[in-house]
């Protein structure tokens, strides 16, 4: 019996390490060539690692959430071939790196990493020769559904676990049809189709199970950045009510008369333009604060981050040089960046370099939010839900489209008076949208 090693490949130019976010196998599982054994994450792109040959999983070299250096052995496969191309003794992993290279979806900051440590030459053949004769598989993966016992932690991917948790399904009751009883989305569909089992005459079930979910990948990075922002930045949040009626009428007219090659205008392009004009009068809001060096980096270019919700979590693609764009260019760039973020194709450059951020919950937005500043920036603008509400015009109550802006500031750098002046300037521009177009 021999062994083959799977090393973490070079998953991208300049990437020295990646975070292990999912195992598709466990020790003892039978695998075939090109089966996916693991998934790693870097720059918010998930890369799947295939098996180079048929065999049985003999050793796993990392836990989910661990940072793995490029070239490190992460899996050993026991094969039926004589000899071994690797030392069969499991080798401890290099744990010198403690943080995965993941594009910073909340800070937009990144640093160059040192080159990966020297490793032994790659010995894994990824693909068979084209003229190789077909062969019968030496091992077969289990195909019969296997139900997990109450003492076992069911095997399932994070996506399956999330779906089951949202549906209130105990995975221990679901029979898995994947390798070693792994539960798939099809297994969940079949379980739901059969209907829930009655656990008591009243139709209610007492649950005592506790699921431990380790924060990995983008979710861990979000948690770290939120903790840094709240721990280091003393927030002051200012909320202002804005009458959006005139702007909404203008937006509808512009969309009605736009050319076919022009994108549809949403609220964001108008807000971005209003922010650019307000920043021109108060440039300190377009800054980064280095609290270790006590230096404020005031930026001339306005690079607006647009917080976007994706299947993987919150990321912040950045519209660069908004001071040199018009409304239609804003709309086109926001649409392009949003599509790239949601599809996971946004580059590191598109997810970094913001100098001030907009966050919006869209139609889900409430009356007021208290947005967390995108460290190391000093200001963030939060868009709340727009609704028709009665508004006193001096003589009577009239229906108007009203919206609250929730704006948070770094109180070490921004005084309350300056924050109020900044938001009032944005309010004036949005309520009198013709002023947006005045130089």
């Amino acid at each position: 019996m021999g062994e083959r090693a799977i090393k973490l490949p070079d998953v991208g130019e300049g990437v020295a390490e990646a975070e292990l976010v999912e195992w598709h196998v466990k020790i003892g599982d039978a695998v075939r060539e090109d089966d996916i054994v693991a998934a790693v994450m870097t720059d918010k792109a998930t890369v799947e690692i295939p098996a180079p040959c048929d065999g049985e999983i003999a050793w796993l070299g990392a836990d989910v959430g661990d940072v793995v250096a490029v070239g490190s052995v992460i899996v050993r496969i026991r094969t039926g071939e004589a000899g071994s191309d690797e030392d069969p003794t499991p080798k401890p992993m290099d744990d010198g790196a403690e943080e995965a290279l993941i594009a910073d979806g909340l800070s937009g900051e990144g640093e160059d990493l040192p080159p990966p440590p020297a490793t032994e030459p790659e010995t894994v053949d990824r693909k068979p020769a084209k003229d190789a004769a077909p062969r019968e598989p030496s091992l077969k993966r289990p195909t019969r559904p296997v139900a997990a016992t109450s003492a076992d932690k069911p095997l399932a991917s994070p996506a399956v676990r999330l779906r089951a948790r949202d549906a209130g399904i105990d995975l221990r009751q679901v029979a898995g049809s994947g390798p070693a009883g792994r539960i798939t989305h099809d297994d969940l569909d079949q379980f739901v189709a059969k209907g829930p089992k009655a656990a008591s005459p009243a139709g209610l079930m007492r649950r005592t199970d506790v699921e431990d979910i380790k924060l990995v990948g983008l979710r861990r990075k979000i948690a770290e950045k939120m903790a840094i922002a709240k721990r280091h930045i003393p927030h002051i949040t200012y909320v202002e009510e804005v009458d959006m009626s005139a702007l909404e009428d203008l937006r509808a007219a512009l969309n009605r008369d736009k050319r076919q090659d022009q994108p549809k205008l949403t609220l964001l392009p108008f807000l971005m333009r209003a922010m650019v004009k307000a920043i021109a009068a108060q440039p300190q809001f377009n800054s980064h604060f280095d609290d270790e060096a006590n230096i404020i980096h005031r930026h001339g270019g306005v690079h607006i981050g647009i917080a976007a919700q994706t299947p993987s979590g919150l990321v912040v693609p950045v519209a660069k040089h908004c001071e040199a764009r018009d409304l239609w260019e804003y709309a086109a760039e926001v649409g392009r960046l949003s599509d790239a973020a949601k599809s996971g194709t946004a580059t590191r450059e598109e997810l970094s370099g913001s100098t001030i951020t907009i966050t919006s919950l869209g139609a889900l937005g409430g009356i007021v939010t208290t947005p967390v500043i995108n460290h190391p920036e000093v200001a963030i603008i939060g868009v709340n839900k727009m609704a028709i509400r009665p508004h006193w015009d001096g003589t009577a109550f009239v229906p108007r489209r009203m919206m609250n802006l929730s704006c948070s500031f770094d109180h070490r750098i921004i005084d309350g008076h300056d924050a109020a002046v900044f938001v009032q300037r944005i309010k004036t521009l949005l309520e009198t949208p013709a002023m947006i177009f005045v130089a």
Side-chain angles (χ1 to χ4, degrees):
M1 298 289 287
E3 284 191 359
R4 298 285 297 275
I6 302 178
K7 299 179 181 180
L8 180 65
D10 185 356
V11 292
E13 183 178 355
V15 175
E17 57 193 11
E19 180 180 1
L20 180 67
V21 294
E22 184 178 6
W23 280 118
H24 290 261
V25 295
K26 68 180 188 307
I27 295 177
D29 280 358
V31 294
R32 293 177 179 172
E33 185 175 359
D34 292 331
D35 280 354
I36 302 302
V37 299
V40 298
M41 185 177 184
T42 178
D43 284 345
K44 297 189 181 65
T46 300
V47 179
E48 294 180 330
I49 308 299
C53 60
D54 293 356
E56 179 182 308
I57 300 299
W59 178 73
L60 301 179
D63 294 327
V64 171
D66 286 351
V67 176
V68 183
V70 169
S72 298
V73 177
I74 59 173
V75 180
R76 292 180 183 271
I77 299 178
R78 186 177 297 112
T79 68
E81 302 173 358
S84 171
D85 61 354
E86 293 286 347
D87 182 357
T89 304
K91 301 175 183 178
M93 292 191 58
D94 179 8
D95 58 359
E98 298 181 353
E99 184 174 344
L101 178 64
I102 297 175
D104 193 351
L106 290 177
S107 73
E109 295 295 315
E111 296 181 355
D112 293 335
L113 295 180
T119 58
E120 57 189 303
E122 179 64 67
T123 60
V124 178
D125 294 326
R126 292 292 181 191
K127 298 182 180 179
K130 294 182 179 179
D131 57 350
R135 51 182 169 76
E136 292 294 327
S138 59
L139 294 169
K140 296 182 180 179
R141 66 173 67 191
T143 57
R144 198 174 82 180
V146 180
T149 66
S150 59
D152 296 331
K153 183 177 180 180
L155 292 176
S157 69
V160 171
R161 293 187 186 279
L162 176 61
R163 181 183 169 197
R165 185 169 68 251
D166 291 342
I169 297 174
D170 184 356
L171 286 178
R172 293 176 300 177
Q173 300 178 6
V174 181
S177 61
R182 188 179 188 85
I183 299 171
T184 67
H185 286 285
D186 289 340
D187 297 329
L188 283 185
D189 292 337
Q190 294 178 14
F191 181 82
V192 172
K194 292 178 181 178
K197 298 178 181 178
S200 68
L204 302 175
M205 177 187 298
R206 292 183 63 183
R207 296 188 57 172
T208 59
D209 58 298
V210 176
E211 183 180 6
D212 296 328
I213 302 173
K214 187 174 182 179
L215 288 184
V216 299
L218 179 59
R219 177 49 54 188
R220 183 176 75 173
K221 201 65 178 178
I222 292 173
E224 291 173 354
K225 294 306 298 182
M226 289 293 98
I228 290 173
K230 293 298 288 185
R231 183 168 62 249
H232 288 277
I233 302 176
H235 285 60
I236 175 175
T237 301
Y238 181 93
V239 182
E240 183 58 82
E241 188 177 48
V242 182
D243 185 348
M244 303 294 291
S245 302
L247 188 144
E248 283 296 286
D249 291 341
L250 174 61
R251 187 174 69 87
L254 291 173
N255 282 330
R256 184 175 58 249
D257 298 334
K258 72 179 183 68
R259 301 192 309 268
Q260 288 188 347
D261 62 334
Q262 290 179 317
K264 183 179 179 180
L265 292 174
T266 64
L267 164 64
L268 283 183
F270 295 92
L271 177 57
M272 294 166 73
R273 186 59 189 165
M275 290 169 59
V276 168
K277 292 183 73 68
I279 286 171
Q282 293 176 279
Q284 68 268 30
F285 288 86
N286 193 51
S287 303
H288 287 174
F289 179 44
D290 184 343
D291 48 5
E292 293 185 358
N294 275 328
I295 295 176
I296 299 173
H297 302 286
R298 184 176 295 179
H299 296 269
V302 181
H303 311 312
I304 300 179
I306 309 294
Q309 189 66 36
T310 73
S312 300
L314 183 69
V315 298
V316 186
V318 183
K320 303 289 180 65
H321 290 290
C322 292
E323 75 281 1
R325 299 178 185 266
D326 61 23
L327 286 179
W328 303 105
E329 291 175 317
Y330 289 150
E333 184 68 354
V334 168
R336 185 188 69 81
L337 291 171
S338 178
D339 290 342
K342 291 177 181 177
S343 64
T345 60
T347 65
R348 185 175 183 178
E349 289 71 23
E350 291 171 333
L351 295 170
S352 62
S354 59
T355 56
I356 190 170
T357 296
I358 297 174
T359 180
S360 171
L361 293 176
L364 294 176
I367 297 175
V368 172
T369 54
T370 55
V372 178
I373 296 170
N374 188 0
H375 181 271
E377 297 167 19
V378 300
I380 184 170
I381 308 298
V383 178
N384 295 294
K385 187 176 182 179
M386 191 182 306
I388 296 178
R389 298 198 291 266
H391 180 73
W392 181 255
D393 67 357
T395 58
F397 283 103
V398 294
R400 306 291 289 178
R401 296 186 185 92
M402 306 300 295
M403 182 188 77
N404 290 343
L405 281 180
S406 299
C407 310
S408 295
F409 306 94
D410 187 335
H411 213 345
R412 298 171 299 178
I413 309 303
I414 307 297
D415 294 332
H417 174 269
D418 294 332
V421 171
F422 182 74
V423 178
Q424 288 289 339
R425 176 60 174 165
I426 294 176
K427 168 185 169 74
T428 299
L429 291 168
L430 295 179
E431 290 187 338
T432 314
M435 296 177 63
I436 292 177
F437 302 96
V438 177

